[in-house]
Amino acid sequence: MGECPLNVKQLDKLILSQITKQSDRDKQKNIGPSEIGGCPICVGEKLALKLPDLYPDLYEEDSFGLASWIGTGVHGHLEETVEIDGAIKEQKNFIYHLEGYGDIKGSTDFFLEPHLKDWKVIGKYSLDKMKMAWKTEPNKIPTQTYRVQQMLYGKGWADLGYKVETVGLVVIPKLSNDPDDIRFYTERYNPEVATRALDRLEKIWKYVQDGRLEELPSDADCYRCTRVLFRA
C-alpha cells in the first residue's frame, strides 16, 4: 500500500480545496433564469460585469457557498437516481438573446412533457416563508424569483415545440429527516410571466448600458442587498 505523502494538515487543506472548487454551475458567467426575477440592482450588477470599461470597480463575487454546494450535490444525486420513463433531466435550453449582451440559457432539472420540475434545497427560514406565501396565494409559485425562473424554463421548452402545462418546485428542507416535509409547489405555465420578466430585463440592461446602474432600486427583502453594508 502506498504511503500518503502529505501530513494531516496538508491533507485537510487539500480536501477543503476540493470541496470549494468551482462546479459547472459556479462557472456560469452570463445571467441565468434563476437571477432574472431578482432585485433590480442585483440583476443590473450581474449584467454590468459584461461592461468592465464602464464599471471598472465592479467585480464578480466569490460564488461558493455551503448552501449552494449542498444543493449542487442533491441535484447531482437526483440526476443519477430519479428514474421515470420519458423524463429529461438537467437539459440546458436557449431562453433568450439579449442584444448587446448575449444568449441566456437555463438548465431544467426535470421535464416530463408537459410538466416541468425544479429541485430546491432550502433552510427552515426560507421554507417557512414559502409556506406562508403559498397559503396567501395558492397555486402560485412562492417568491417572484423562483416563479420567473420556472416560467422562463417553460418558455425554453415551449420554444422547442414541447407542450408545457405546469411548472413547479420540489422543495427539500435541509434540516428535516422526514420526507413528508418535502413540498410540491405547482402552477400552470403562463408565458406572459416570462414575457414580462424579459421586458423588465431589457429595461434594466438599458439602464446598465447608459451608465445608470446606481439608479436601479433594491428590493426591500433582498438578502444580498441587506448584507452589503455600504448599500443604502
Side-chain angles (χ1 to χ4, degrees):
M1 291 184 293
E3 185 177 341
C4 177
L6 307 173
N7 63 44
V8 69
K9 287 186 177 180
Q10 290 172 325
L11 178 58
D12 291 348
K13 187 175 180 180
L14 179 59
I15 290 171
L16 181 60
S17 72
Q18 291 298 299
I19 290 173
T20 59
K21 70 181 179 181
Q22 284 191 324
S23 67
D24 289 340
R25 287 172 179 259
D26 297 326
K27 293 174 184 176
Q28 177 177 306
K29 297 301 181 183
N30 279 13
I31 196 167
S34 65
E35 300 163 295
I36 287 173
C39 166
I41 185 69
C42 293
V43 173
E45 287 184 351
K46 178 71 176 186
L47 295 173
L49 292 171
K50 282 279 190 173
L51 304 173
D53 292 340
L54 191 56
Y55 300 99
D57 296 329
L58 196 65
Y59 62 93
E60 189 159 18
E61 296 177 354
D62 182 3
S63 60
F64 180 83
L66 281 174
S68 60
W69 178 76
I70 292 169
T72 299
V74 172
H75 277 76
H77 174 72
L78 292 175
E79 183 182 2
E80 291 183 2
T81 59
V82 172
E83 297 180 355
I84 298 176
D85 288 345
I88 302 172
K89 296 176 288 185
E90 295 293 338
Q91 177 163 312
K92 179 172 284 190
N93 292 334
F94 171 83
I95 305 295
Y96 188 68
H97 178 77
L98 186 59
E99 192 66 37
Y101 180 83
D103 289 346
I104 295 170
K105 299 179 181 180
S107 294
T108 303
D109 295 337
F110 178 96
F111 182 68
L112 181 60
E113 191 176 14
H115 307 298
L116 181 154
K117 298 290 185 183
D118 204 45
W119 322 125
K120 297 295 181 189
V121 184
I122 64 176
K124 185 178 185 305
Y125 173 80
S126 296
L127 180 59
D128 289 346
K129 190 175 177 180
M130 292 178 77
K131 287 178 181 177
M132 289 299 295
W134 185 256
K135 285 182 179 180
T136 303
E137 294 186 276
N139 302 316
K140 181 178 179 180
I141 291 177
T143 82
Q144 182 66 7
T145 302
Y146 285 158
R147 186 172 188 242
V148 166
Q149 179 185 11
Q150 302 318 308
M151 296 300 179
L152 289 173
Y153 286 156
K155 175 186 181 304
W157 287 102
D159 289 347
L160 288 174
Y162 288 86
K163 184 178 182 180
V164 181
E165 289 184 356
T166 70
V167 298
L169 304 178
V170 180
V171 181
I172 305 168
K174 282 187 289 192
L175 300 180
S176 173
N177 197 39
D178 187 349
D180 287 341
D181 288 335
I182 295 173
R183 290 290 181 269
F184 297 84
Y185 298 121
T186 302
E187 182 176 352
R188 293 201 66 81
Y189 170 57
N190 184 348
E192 283 300 312
V193 175
T195 298
R196 289 196 300 269
L198 293 172
D199 287 345
R200 174 179 178 264
L201 182 68
E202 289 279 3
K203 292 174 183 176
I204 293 174
W205 177 229
K206 183 67 166 59
Y207 268 79
V208 171
Q209 289 178 302
D210 290 346
R212 301 166 61 197
L213 174 63
E214 293 305 320
E215 295 180 30
L216 292 169
S218 170
D219 284 346
D221 61 348
C222 175
Y223 171 76
R224 180 172 176 270
C225 285
T226 55
R227 69 184 175 89
V228 177
L229 299 179
F230 62 80
R231 210 173 262 169

